[in-house]
Structures are given as C-alpha cells and as structure tokens.
C-alpha cells in the first residue's frame, strides 16, 4: 500500500486529503506543529478511530523551518507521495509577518525538496506543492491559465512564487516528480474563520440566532473564483498519479464578489440583505432595515488582488478533473453548517 506524507494535515485541505487517501487504502503520515492548545480538531474523527490512528494514520511533530526534522521524518517514513500543504496561508497576515511567511512558504519548500534529495528519495517520492492563484495577483490576463505571467501582490504571493519556481527547478535539475497545483480559492465548513467566506457564514448563522449584531468586512468588491475544497484535494491526488509531473490550474472559471457571497449567505439563513452606499459607507441591511454588514477599512490590504478567475482546461483535459459544486451550492453548504453550529452554541450557552 502506498505511503503518503502530508504537511499541514491539521489545516482545511490536509484534513480532507487525509480522509481521501485513507479511503483509498494509503498509510498516511501527517506533520503537526506543537501547540499549547489542541490543533487537531479537523482530524479528530480520524484521531479518535482506533482502527485508523496509529494503525494507518501516524502523526509526527515537525515544522517547515526545521531541516533536520524534515530529514529525519523522510528517512523514517520513506513516503511514495508527499503533499506539501503547510504554510502561513493568510494573505493579510503575511503583510504583518513577511519574513516568517517567506521562511515557511518559500524556503520551507526548498528545505523539503532538498531533504528529499539528501535522503535519496528522489526516485521514489512524488511531490505536490500547494501553489496558489495569488501568484497571478495583479492579473495580466483574464481568465488565468498555466501560461499567464505571475504578478504577486503580497509577501504571501511572493513567498509562494519562490516555492513555485524552486519546484520547477528541482524537477528540471534533478528529475524529481514534483508538481505545482495552482489552486484558486477553495472553501468548506472547515475553512479557517478569518478567511472571508467562513467569516461571513459564521456571522450569518450567529446573527440569525441573535448572537451577534453585524459583521465588519473589508473590500466588498473583491472578486474570487471560489470552489469546494474536497474537490480540490482530490485533484492533488490525481496530479501525483500522472506518469509525468506538471503544473495545473484548479478553478471553477466563475468569479463572484465578496458582496455576492454575503447576499447568498444571508439569504441561506432566511435574512435577505440589500446593499446601499459606497466604499467605507457601504452597508448591507436586512428586511427590517437593520445594518448587518459594515465596512471597516482595517480589513483592507496594503495591496489588493481585485479579480481572480481561472481556466482549468488543462486539468480537465489531462486529469479528467472538473468541479461539480457550484458557487450557490458552496455557499449553501457553508451557511447551513454554520447556522447549525450557531444553534448548538446557543443551546450550550442557555
Ligand atoms: P490552512 O487551513 O491555513 O492550513 C495550513 C496548515 O499548515 C495547518 O495545518 C498549519 O498548522 C500548517 N502550518 C503552518 N505553518 C507551519 C509550519 N511552519 N510548519 C509546519 N506546518 C505549518 O490552509 P489550507 O486552506 O488548508 O491550505 C493548504 C495549502 O494550500 C497552504 O499551503 C495554502 O497556502 C495553499 N492554498 C490554499 C488555498 C485555499 O483557498 N484554501 C488556495 C491556494 C493555495 P496549524 O494547524 O498548527 O496552524
Ligand atoms: O480574502 C476580501 C480580501 O482572506 C478574499 C488563502 O487561502 O486564497 C486565500 O487568500 C478576499 C480578499 O482569501 C475581508 O481583501 C473583504 O480580496 O478569504 P481571503 P485570499 O486573500 O484570497 C488564496 C488562493 C490562497 O492561496 C490563500 O492561502 O476577500 N475581504 N473583507 C476580506 N478578507 C478577509 N480575510 N477578511 C475580511 O474581513
């Protein structure tokens, strides 16, 4: 049975990928960071299953800033497939911790590739790198494809640009089976709560249950190509099953504004919103005229990515991959899950 190593297994994507690989019969090793609180909530169901944990799922402490740890892990595990999903993944936060972001997202990728070489796994192990649509930043072409020139707009995007090119370089220099998935935004009920989609669906549920008055957001006009995360992790696996490595855009080829995401989310909890005003004065009101969405410029970014929309034609053609969950369905899935969560929280608080 194949052996996989996932960095970032405690994150949104890592948790879905671990489930999918276990279901395919893999032995899965995950790297986790030491934390002062439990950071394994997203994989708790796997962790608590005695037939899985320490049988086919193994967790190891580690960090992408620690090369000796990476060497040891690779030697001990001897994986056939490596999914490098670990990252400081928040774009706005990357402006506040640019050096750390470069260490983990840029140099961390190099450390990993070099460890593979160092321990002699370059013929055995296939490598997936979590590249991103943030590479396109100030977009040079619409829609974006694998051939669109990059123009990152944040320390996160620039760090990931290094990650992208070092993967290409190790592939070309040392024959590594190393691939970049250029994934556009993908979301789910497991999305971190500080990303805009989850922030909105969490707020919609809590506002609907009377637990919160309104939500403050930044740029309501930003447009994103939002897909459903489990479909994107399935695509990661497909990339590593290819005879030849390559780089693939993974997207829905639809784009929507943050404002539209709000409209769909609040409609899903039976609180339709109407937006009025402009810029910092724009608000979203419910049917009673109560303001439920406000703008707070603190959430603006020093440089913004205004529009993303990807063309996944290469992935469709070569990997047979096509997203099925639509934008409207994605919002429904997330809004419903967060409404249920708010109801539970309310019961517990009562
Ligand atoms: P996420 O939920 O933020 O998860 C990130 C994971 O990386 C977590 O497990 C985190 O551990 C771990 N991590 C952070 N710093 C680390 C370090 N120094 N050493 C080891 N592990 C570290 O991110 P995601 O949404 O699942 O995304 C997965 C990957 O895809 C990331 O590389 C992200 O940049 C990239 N990506 C995401 C999207 C998207 O829309 N989701 C799109 C394109 C690319 P803790 O749990 O301990 O924090
Ligand atoms: O922002 C705007 C914000 O933080 C989306 C990461 O997974 O996808 C993600 O990066 C848009 C931006 O995601 C708020 O300005 C408005 O234009 O949800 P986000 P992101 O920056 O697109 C890419 C592909 C990755 O690779 C990253 O790892 O929404 N926005 N108001 C807001 N964003 C946030 N977070 N919070 C707000 O209040």
């Amino acid at each position: 049975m194949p052996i996989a190593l996932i960095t970032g297994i405690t994150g949104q994507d890592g948790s879905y990928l671990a489930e999918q690989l276990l279901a395919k019969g893999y032995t899965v090793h995950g790297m986790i960071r030491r934390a002062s609180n439990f950071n394994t909530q997203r994989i708790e169901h796997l962790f608590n299953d005695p037939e899985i944990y320490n049988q086919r799922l193994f967790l190891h402490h580690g960090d992408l800033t620690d090369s000796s740890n990476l060497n040891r892990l690779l030697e001990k595990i001897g994986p056939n497939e490596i999914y490098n999903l670990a990252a400081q993944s928040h774009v706005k936060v990357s402006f506040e911790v640019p050096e750390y972001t470069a260490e983990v997202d840029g140099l961390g990728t190099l450390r990993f590739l070099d460890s593979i070489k160092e321990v002699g796994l370059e013929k055995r192990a296939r490598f997936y790198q979590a590249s991103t649509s943030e590479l396109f930043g100030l977009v040079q072409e619409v829609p974006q494809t694998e051939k669109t020139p990059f123009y990152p707009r944040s320390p996160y995007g620039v760090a990931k640009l290094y990650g992208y090119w070092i993967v290409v370089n190790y592939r070309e220099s040392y024959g590594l089976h190393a691939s970049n998935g250029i994934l556009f935004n993908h979301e789910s009920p497991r999305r971190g709560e500080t990303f805009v989609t989850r922030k909105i669906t969490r707020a919609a549920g809590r506002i609907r249950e009377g637990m919160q008055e309104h939500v403050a957001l930044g740029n309501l006009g930003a447009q994103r190509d939002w897909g459903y995360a489990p479909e994107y992790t399935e695509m990661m696996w497909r990339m590593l099953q290819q005879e030849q490595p390559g780089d693939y855009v993974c997207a829905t080829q639809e784009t929507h504004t943050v404002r539209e995401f709000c409209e769909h989310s609040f409609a899903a909890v039976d609180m339709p919103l109407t937006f009025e005003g402009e810029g910092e004065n724009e608000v979203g009101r419910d049917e009673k005229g109560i303001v439920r969405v406000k703008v707070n410029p603190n959430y603006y970014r020093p440089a913004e990515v205004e529009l993303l929309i990807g063309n996944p034609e290469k992935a469709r053609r070569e990997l047979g991959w096509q997203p099925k969950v639509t934008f409207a369905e994605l919002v429904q899935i997330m809004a419903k899950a967060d409404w249920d969560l708010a109801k539970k929280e309310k019961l517990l608080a009562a």
Side-chain angles (χ1 to χ4, degrees):
M1 277 304 160
I3 302 168
L5 169 61
I6 305 175
T7 72
I9 193 168
T10 56
Q12 172 188 254
D13 291 5
S15 66
Y16 284 120
L17 182 65
E19 278 171 11
Q20 290 166 354
L21 294 180
L22 287 166
K24 289 181 200 296
Y26 281 60
T27 295
V28 175
H29 293 261
M31 178 200 278
I32 59 166
R33 294 198 287 180
R34 192 269 155 183
S36 63
N37 266 321
F38 289 111
N39 59 356
T40 46
Q41 294 93 328
R42 291 187 180 100
I43 51 169
E44 214 166 56
H45 53 299
L46 304 174
F47 196 72
N48 289 333
D49 185 337
E51 290 189 6
I52 290 183
Y53 185 56
N54 276 340
Q55 303 296 323
R56 291 201 298 123
L57 170 69
F58 302 88
L59 300 177
H60 312 265
H61 281 108
D63 198 294
L64 281 192
T65 56
D66 184 341
S67 314
S68 56
N69 166 265
L70 291 179
N71 282 351
R72 268 198 308 279
L73 278 184
L74 285 177
E75 256 174 352
K76 185 165 141 192
I77 296 165
N80 308 96
E81 295 176 15
I82 298 166
Y83 297 87
N84 184 30
L85 310 186
Q88 190 305 92
S89 70
H90 203 284
V91 173
K92 173 104 190 319
V93 171
S94 79
F95 287 97
E96 287 158 42
V97 288
E99 189 179 325
Y100 175 73
T101 304
E103 269 294 341
V104 177
D105 301 9
L107 286 180
T109 312
L110 169 67
R111 283 188 194 98
F112 222 121
L113 292 165
D114 218 51
S115 286
I116 293 174
K117 217 159 90 13
E118 191 72 16
V119 303
L121 277 175
E122 64 268 47
K123 296 279 176 287
R124 172 184 162 97
R126 296 182 172 190
F127 184 84
Y128 173 88
Q129 168 63 8
S131 285
T132 165
S133 52
E134 283 292 303
L135 298 175
F136 298 120
L138 186 62
V139 297
Q140 304 293 296
E141 188 180 31
V142 178
Q144 294 85 52
T145 72
E146 294 79 6
K147 296 203 170 90
T148 303
F150 297 138
Y151 194 139
R153 291 274 278 175
S154 63
Y156 170 79
V158 175
K160 284 280 187 177
L161 184 73
Y162 180 86
Y164 175 94
W165 281 116
I166 203 68
V167 164
V168 174
N169 181 255
Y170 268 57
R171 181 167 76 211
E172 293 175 355
S173 306
Y174 307 113
L176 250 69
H177 192 296
S179 299
N180 283 293
I182 308 173
L183 271 53
F184 283 61
N185 300 53
H186 45 280
E187 318 292 317
S188 74
R190 294 188 196 169
R191 185 59 142 152
E193 294 188 22
T194 61
F195 295 98
V196 78
T197 54
R198 189 79 202 289
K199 185 172 168 184
I200 295 167
T201 55
R202 271 299 265 152
R206 288 173 57 82
I207 290 170
R208 180 67 172 79
E209 289 306 305
M211 300 162 77
Q212 186 176 327
E213 173 77 17
H214 70 270
V215 61
L217 299 171
N219 181 5
L220 297 177
Q223 289 173 265
R224 289 291 184 277
D225 180 330
W226 279 297
Y228 184 45
E231 295 188 324
Y232 287 53
T233 51
E234 159 72 17
M235 148 98 176
M236 298 174 185
W237 174 78
R238 286 188 189 211
M239 282 178 60
L240 294 205
Q241 309 318 303
Q242 294 287 102
E243 203 53 49
Q244 296 300 325
D247 308 315
Y248 294 88
V249 159
C250 189
T252 68
Q253 204 159 2
E254 255 191 54
T255 193
H256 297 273
T257 61
V258 171
R259 188 181 299 103
E260 280 175 84
F261 200 97
C262 290
E263 285 165 348
H264 280 254
S265 301
F266 280 81
V269 299
D270 300 331
M271 280 186 93
L273 293 185
T274 310
F275 280 88
E276 62 187 44
E278 271 178 35
E280 291 173 24
N281 297 318
E282 184 167 358
V283 291
R285 292 184 192 278
D286 67 16
E287 286 178 311
K288 292 181 188 144
I290 303 172
V291 172
R292 298 304 188 181
V293 177
K294 285 183 185 173
V295 173
N296 181 339
N298 286 336
Y299 294 110
Y300 290 165
R301 293 164 184 196
E304 175 64 295
V305 173
E306 292 290 351
L307 164 72
L308 288 173
I309 177 166
N311 177 354
E313 173 53 27
K314 183 180 173 195
R316 194 194 59 72
R317 202 175 55 246
E318 294 185 12
L319 307 177
W321 181 85
Q322 212 158 7
K324 294 183 189 69
V325 175
T326 64
F327 172 75
E329 288 165 348
L330 170 68
V331 185
Q332 281 290 337
I333 292 169
M334 293 180 69
K336 184 178 178 319
D338 277 332
W339 191 5
D340 288 346
L341 182 59
K343 285 177 192 161
K344 271 192 210 139
E345 285 173 343
K346 196 173 165 184
L347 263 181
L348 279 175

